[in-house]
Amino acid sequence: MASNDLAVEVHDLTYAFPGSKRSAIHDLSLSVEWNKKVLVVGNNGAGKSTLLKLLSGKHLCLGGNIKVGNKNPFAPNNDQESVILTTYLGTEWASMAIVHRDIGVLELLESIGLSHYRARGEELVRILEVDINWRMFKLSDGQKRRVQLCMGLLKPFKVLLLDEVTVDLDVVARDRLFQFLDRETRDRQCSVVYATHIFDGLAPWADEIIHLQDGTITRTLDYQRDIHFTKEIEGVQERKDNGRHTVILGYMKSLYPLALHWLTRDQVEDQKL
Amino acid sequence: MASNDLAVEVHDLTYAFPGSKRSAIHDLSLSVEWNKKVLVVGNNGAGKSTLLKLLSGKHLCLGGNIKVGNKNPFAPNNDQESVILTTYLGTEWASMAIVHRDIGVLELLESIGLSHYRARGEELVRILEVDINWRMFKLSDGQKRRVQLCMGLLKPFKVLLLDEVTVDLDVVARDRLFQFLDRETRDRQCSVVYATHIFDGLAPWADEIIHLQDGTITRTLDYQRDIHFTKEIEGVQERKDNGRHTVILGYMKSLYPLALHWLTRDQVEDQKL
C-alpha cells in the first residue's frame, strides 16, 4: 500500500451551489487517514452537510481536488467489490419513503442483501434493538430510524459519512452504535467522518476534531495529542505550545452518565422479562 | 392562589392506543410545580411522547386524571386569554407543511400574531438567529427548525411541552434557547417539561429529572437536593440516604464545552463582519 494512501484527501476545495454567488466551501483542505474517527464541528450553515455531500459524490465539484479512498467520489464506480467505498447517511436519506410503507423489516433487509452480510446484519439488529418482525408503517420515529441505520450500515463501507442521523436514538442505542463504529475502524481498513451537534459520550470516541467555520477548516485537533482534560479548571483554555495548538478542557457536570446508567439497566430488565 | 395549584397534576394515569391491548402509559402519577423545568428521560418506546401528547390534550384519556394548569387538557378552551395554557412542540409539529412553502419569515410570524408579541418575537428571532427576510423554501433544515421554534414560542405559554425539537440546532442556538426558557420559568408563572436524548449542557438547567420506564415513572430526582457531583469518582453511584434516593455523579470528559466555545466565537466574528 502506498504511503500516501488516505481515506479522504481534499485540496483547495471551493464549491458554490448552482446559481449562488457565495461559496459554501472555500479553500478547504482535509486529510483523513485510515482507521480514524473524525468529528466535524460547526454552526448551522458552516458547510458541514455540503462537505459530506461533496465527499459522497452527491455534488459535482469543479474547483479543487477530492479523493475518497484514492478515487474521485463523483466518478462512476465500476468495481465489483463486496465492500462498498462510501456510505453516506444524511438528512435526505432519513426521509426515504420506503420506511413508511407496509413492509416487514426482514423483507426490507433481505431486499438490500441481508443474505450476503448475515452476521453483520444480526449484529446491527442486536445493537440497534430492531425486531425483524416489525412492520415499518407501525413504528415510531425512533424505531424507523434504527431500521434505517441497519439498512445503511449493512454493507461494509470503506468511508462512512454520517450527517447527524442519530438524533432520534436513545442514549443506549447511540452508545452501542458508536462502540460498533469504534470496532469497525479498529478492525477493518475504514474511517468515519461524523458531523454532529450532540457531544454526549463522544470525547473518548473521536480521533480527530475538525472545526468548520464559514466553509473552511480553521482547526484540526488530534484527540490524544492536542486535547487535555483536567479537573483543576472549569471551561476551556486554548494555547500555542511550540507552535502547536493545544486545548485544555475542564471536566464537566453532565446528566448523560446517569441517563446511560438508568436506560441501560432498563433494557437489561426488559430482556429478562 | 390555592396551595394545590400546580402546573401539571396527573394521578393513576393509564393509556392504551386505540386497538392496542398493551398500555403505553400505566399507573403514572406526576406533579410539576410552577416555575420548574423538568427533564423526562427514557428509552425509545418508554412512553415519553405519549405522555407529552396526553398532557397537551392531543389524546383523550379515559383512565386516570390529568390536569394542566388546573384544567383538563382535552376539554375545549374557551378562555380569551392572551397567555395560552399549553404549547406543545413535538415531532408532528416539526413536519408542518407551511415551513416548506415559498413564504417569507416576517409574513409567517405576522400571520400568527407577531404584532401582539413584538418584543418577544424580536428576542426569539435574535436568540435563534433567524433572519426575517428569509424565504422559507430556500432554508436548510436547521434554519427551518429555528423559524418553527420562533413560531411555536411566540405566544407566551403557561406549560411548555417539548418533545426533542432541538435536534437540528447547533450548540450555540440550543444553549441560548435553554437560557431563554430558564428566564421564562423564573420570571413568569410557567413550567417546561422536556423529553430529550441530548444532555449536553442540561445538568444545571434542570430542576427535576424524571425517569420514565415502560410507561411509568420509576424515579423523580430534585436536581439541587438529590443529585451531587464530585470530581472524586467516575460514573454513577446511587444510594438511599434516610429513605431518600440520592445520586452521586462523577464529572465527565466532554467536547461540548469546546464546541460551545468555538462556535460562540464564530458567531461573534460573523456579526463583526
mmCIF file of all heavy atoms in Angstrom, chain A residues 242-260:
data_model
loop_
_atom_site.group_PDB
_atom_site.id
_atom_site.type_symbol
_atom_site.label_atom_id
_atom_site.label_comp_id
_atom_site.label_asym_id
_atom_site.label_seq_id
_atom_site.Cartn_x
_atom_site.Cartn_y
_atom_site.Cartn_z
ATOM 1 N N ASN A 242 4.825 25.467 21.521
ATOM 2 C CA ASN A 242 5.826 25.245 20.465
ATOM 3 C C ASN A 242 5.173 25.271 19.079
ATOM 4 O O ASN A 242 5.418 24.397 18.253
ATOM 5 C CB ASN A 242 6.539 23.900 20.658
ATOM 6 C CG ASN A 242 7.220 23.811 22.010
ATOM 7 O OD1 ASN A 242 7.764 24.821 22.466
ATOM 8 N ND2 ASN A 242 7.187 22.651 22.628
ATOM 9 N N GLY A 243 4.323 26.252 18.888
ATOM 10 C CA GLY A 243 3.686 26.401 17.578
ATOM 11 C C GLY A 243 2.513 25.466 17.356
ATOM 12 O O GLY A 243 1.820 25.559 16.349
ATOM 13 N N ARG A 244 2.259 24.561 18.281
ATOM 14 C CA ARG A 244 1.133 23.629 18.129
ATOM 15 C C ARG A 244 -0.049 24.100 18.975
ATOM 16 O O ARG A 244 0.114 24.494 20.123
ATOM 17 C CB ARG A 244 1.581 22.234 18.574
ATOM 18 C CG ARG A 244 0.474 21.211 18.550
ATOM 19 C CD ARG A 244 1.014 19.838 18.863
ATOM 20 N NE ARG A 244 1.813 19.313 17.775
ATOM 21 C CZ ARG A 244 2.652 18.280 17.890
ATOM 22 N NH1 ARG A 244 2.827 17.701 19.063
ATOM 23 N NH2 ARG A 244 3.321 17.841 16.852
ATOM 24 N N HIS A 245 -1.219 24.042 18.386
ATOM 25 C CA HIS A 245 -2.410 24.473 19.091
ATOM 26 C C HIS A 245 -2.845 23.384 20.074
ATOM 27 O O HIS A 245 -2.986 22.222 19.709
ATOM 28 C CB HIS A 245 -3.530 24.738 18.081
ATOM 29 C CG HIS A 245 -4.660 25.512 18.660
ATOM 30 N ND1 HIS A 245 -4.655 26.885 18.735
ATOM 31 C CD2 HIS A 245 -5.827 25.110 19.220
ATOM 32 C CE1 HIS A 245 -5.764 27.293 19.289
ATOM 33 N NE2 HIS A 245 -6.511 26.234 19.606
ATOM 34 N N THR A 246 -3.032 23.763 21.324
ATOM 35 C CA THR A 246 -3.419 22.809 22.361
ATOM 36 C C THR A 246 -4.654 23.316 23.089
ATOM 37 O O THR A 246 -4.805 24.517 23.287
ATOM 38 C CB THR A 246 -2.267 22.648 23.384
ATOM 39 O OG1 THR A 246 -1.080 22.308 22.676
ATOM 40 C CG2 THR A 246 -2.583 21.576 24.402
ATOM 41 N N VAL A 247 -5.520 22.403 23.462
ATOM 42 C CA VAL A 247 -6.732 22.779 24.185
ATOM 43 C C VAL A 247 -6.744 22.048 25.522
ATOM 44 O O VAL A 247 -6.484 20.845 25.581
ATOM 45 C CB VAL A 247 -7.990 22.399 23.376
ATOM 46 C CG1 VAL A 247 -9.239 22.542 24.229
ATOM 47 C CG2 VAL A 247 -8.103 23.250 22.121
ATOM 48 N N ILE A 248 -7.022 22.790 26.586
ATOM 49 C CA ILE A 248 -7.184 22.171 27.902
ATOM 50 C C ILE A 248 -8.638 22.369 28.328
ATOM 51 O O ILE A 248 -9.159 23.484 28.301
ATOM 52 C CB ILE A 248 -6.228 22.800 28.933
ATOM 53 C CG1 ILE A 248 -4.792 22.613 28.445
ATOM 54 C CG2 ILE A 248 -6.417 22.161 30.304
ATOM 55 C CD1 ILE A 248 -3.798 23.422 29.205
ATOM 56 N N LEU A 249 -9.282 21.247 28.655
ATOM 57 C CA LEU A 249 -10.705 21.290 28.983
ATOM 58 C C LEU A 249 -10.921 20.820 30.416
ATOM 59 O O LEU A 249 -10.357 19.804 30.832
ATOM 60 C CB LEU A 249 -11.486 20.347 28.054
ATOM 61 C CG LEU A 249 -11.608 20.764 26.592
ATOM 62 C CD1 LEU A 249 -12.148 19.612 25.755
ATOM 63 C CD2 LEU A 249 -12.528 21.961 26.477
ATOM 64 N N GLY A 250 -11.743 21.566 31.143
ATOM 65 C CA GLY A 250 -12.150 21.099 32.467
ATOM 66 C C GLY A 250 -13.167 19.982 32.339
ATOM 67 O O GLY A 250 -13.878 19.892 31.342
ATOM 68 N N TYR A 251 -13.221 19.109 33.325
ATOM 69 C CA TYR A 251 -14.294 18.114 33.373
ATOM 70 C C TYR A 251 -15.610 18.858 33.588
ATOM 71 O O TYR A 251 -15.640 19.931 34.178
ATOM 72 C CB TYR A 251 -14.065 17.159 34.546
ATOM 73 C CG TYR A 251 -13.057 16.070 34.290
ATOM 74 C CD1 TYR A 251 -11.760 16.368 33.886
ATOM 75 C CD2 TYR A 251 -13.388 14.734 34.499
ATOM 76 C CE1 TYR A 251 -10.837 15.362 33.676
ATOM 77 C CE2 TYR A 251 -12.460 13.716 34.296
ATOM 78 C CZ TYR A 251 -11.180 14.040 33.879
ATOM 79 O OH TYR A 251 -10.263 13.044 33.679
ATOM 80 N N MET A 252 -16.701 18.293 33.136
ATOM 81 C CA MET A 252 -17.981 18.998 33.310
ATOM 82 C C MET A 252 -19.026 18.150 34.020
ATOM 83 O O MET A 252 -18.949 16.934 34.065
ATOM 84 C CB MET A 252 -18.511 19.488 31.964
ATOM 85 C CG MET A 252 -19.018 18.413 31.041
ATOM 86 S SD MET A 252 -19.724 19.099 29.500
ATOM 87 C CE MET A 252 -21.250 19.838 30.108
ATOM 88 N N LYS A 253 -20.006 18.861 34.563
ATOM 89 C CA LYS A 253 -21.177 18.202 35.146
ATOM 90 C C LYS A 253 -22.138 17.843 34.029
ATOM 91 O O LYS A 253 -22.470 18.693 33.222
ATOM 92 C CB LYS A 253 -21.886 19.146 36.115
ATOM 93 C CG LYS A 253 -21.089 19.507 37.340
ATOM 94 C CD LYS A 253 -21.893 20.461 38.222
ATOM 95 C CE LYS A 253 -21.083 20.874 39.443
ATOM 96 N NZ LYS A 253 -21.856 21.793 40.313
ATOM 97 N N SER A 254 -22.561 16.599 33.991
ATOM 98 C CA SER A 254 -23.497 16.189 32.951
ATOM 99 C C SER A 254 -24.422 15.109 33.486
ATOM 100 O O SER A 254 -24.008 14.261 34.284
ATOM 101 C CB SER A 254 -22.732 15.660 31.737
ATOM 102 O OG SER A 254 -23.637 15.095 30.800
ATOM 103 N N LEU A 255 -25.664 15.138 33.028
ATOM 104 C CA LEU A 255 -26.619 14.089 33.392
ATOM 105 C C LEU A 255 -26.522 12.895 32.441
ATOM 106 O O LEU A 255 -27.204 11.899 32.626
ATOM 107 C CB LEU A 255 -28.046 14.646 33.383
ATOM 108 C CG LEU A 255 -28.303 15.768 34.383
ATOM 109 C CD1 LEU A 255 -29.682 16.371 34.169
ATOM 110 C CD2 LEU A 255 -28.180 15.261 35.816
ATOM 111 N N TYR A 256 -25.683 13.003 31.421
ATOM 112 C CA TYR A 256 -25.581 11.921 30.445
ATOM 113 C C TYR A 256 -25.191 10.574 31.084
ATOM 114 O O TYR A 256 -25.834 9.558 30.798
ATOM 115 C CB TYR A 256 -24.589 12.311 29.338
ATOM 116 C CG TYR A 256 -24.291 11.201 28.374
ATOM 117 C CD1 TYR A 256 -25.250 10.788 27.450
ATOM 118 C CD2 TYR A 256 -23.062 10.559 28.382
ATOM 119 C CE1 TYR A 256 -24.974 9.747 26.571
ATOM 120 C CE2 TYR A 256 -22.787 9.522 27.506
ATOM 121 C CZ TYR A 256 -23.747 9.121 26.599
ATOM 122 O OH TYR A 256 -23.478 8.098 25.735
ATOM 123 N N PRO A 257 -24.175 10.543 31.975
ATOM 124 C CA PRO A 257 -23.842 9.239 32.579
ATOM 125 C C PRO A 257 -25.012 8.637 33.354
ATOM 126 O O PRO A 257 -25.209 7.424 33.346
ATOM 127 C CB PRO A 257 -22.679 9.579 33.534
ATOM 128 C CG PRO A 257 -22.088 10.835 32.992
ATOM 129 C CD PRO A 257 -23.241 11.604 32.423
ATOM 130 N N LEU A 258 -25.813 9.496 33.993
ATOM 131 C CA LEU A 258 -26.974 8.995 34.736
ATOM 132 C C LEU A 258 -28.012 8.403 33.787
ATOM 133 O O LEU A 258 -28.543 7.308 34.023
ATOM 134 C CB LEU A 258 -27.587 10.134 35.569
ATOM 135 C CG LEU A 258 -28.837 9.757 36.365
ATOM 136 C CD1 LEU A 258 -28.524 8.688 37.418
ATOM 137 C CD2 LEU A 258 -29.441 10.998 37.041
ATOM 138 N N ALA A 259 -28.283 9.118 32.702
ATOM 139 C CA ALA A 259 -29.267 8.622 31.721
ATOM 140 C C ALA A 259 -28.793 7.291 31.130
ATOM 141 O O ALA A 259 -29.562 6.332 31.018
ATOM 142 C CB ALA A 259 -29.475 9.658 30.613
ATOM 143 N N LEU A 260 -27.510 7.223 30.788
ATOM 144 C CA LEU A 260 -26.973 5.986 30.208
ATOM 145 C C LEU A 260 -27.068 4.838 31.214
ATOM 146 O O LEU A 260 -27.442 3.714 30.867
ATOM 147 C CB LEU A 260 -25.523 6.216 29.778
ATOM 148 C CG LEU A 260 -24.877 5.130 28.920
ATOM 149 C CD1 LEU A 260 -25.615 4.932 27.601
ATOM 150 C CD2 LEU A 260 -23.407 5.489 28.637
#
